[in-house]
Amino acid sequence: MTNAHFVFFQTLPALLHRPKLAPFVTLKCMRITLLHGSSVFSSGAYGVFGMMTISVSGDVERGARFAQLALRSLEQFKVYEYLPRVYAAVYGCIQSWTQPIQTTLDP
């Protein structure tokens, strides 16, 4: 595992156990993505960055765009082992700001 992979894998533990550290880990993931291009790990970083965008700046529209980018990245790389992580960020935290809850639930 490379150092970049290690950083991407630390996003969720940082969110759960060290919330004050989570923004730094997420920003490091985004920096790696910007420097080296999207990878199979980027979808999770996009989702968490979208959550941070809404919570810190209140920019719901920009957060929703990162949510869509996370979903597209998940489909592009076919990395379904990250699906729960991305769905939790997108449907659990971001989409509730942009759409009624009924649209995310199956009848």
Side-chain angles (χ1 to χ4, degrees):
M1 180 176 354
T2 66
N3 290 339
H5 296 140
F6 179 77
V7 172
F8 281 102
F9 283 124
Q10 295 306 312
T11 305
L12 186 60
L15 276 171
L16 297 175
H17 301 289
R18 300 272 193 253
K20 291 183 180 181
L21 183 63
F24 298 106
V25 174
T26 303
L27 290 174
K28 183 68 171 179
C29 293
M30 293 300 292
R31 185 168 192 262
I32 291 169
T33 299
L34 289 172
L35 289 174
H36 302 287
S38 288
S39 72
V40 296
F41 306 107
S42 298
S43 58
Y46 295 143
V48 174
F49 189 76
M51 287 173 22
M52 285 177 32
T53 301
I54 292 172
S55 66
V56 173
S57 69
D59 191 347
V60 176
E61 184 178 319
R62 182 169 290 162
R65 286 196 306 253
F66 275 102
Q68 293 305 312
L69 181 60
L71 293 173
R72 282 194 307 266
S73 175
L74 195 66
E75 278 297 314
Q76 175 187 358
F77 291 107
K78 308 269 190 258
V79 284
Y80 298 113
E81 60 267 19
Y82 300 115
L83 188 120
R85 185 178 293 197
V86 173
Y87 275 19
V90 172
Y91 296 114
C93 299
I94 298 173
Q95 196 167 16
S96 61
W97 286 95
T98 60
Q99 296 180 7
I101 193 72
Q102 293 85 357
T103 63
T104 62
L105 301 173
D106 289 334

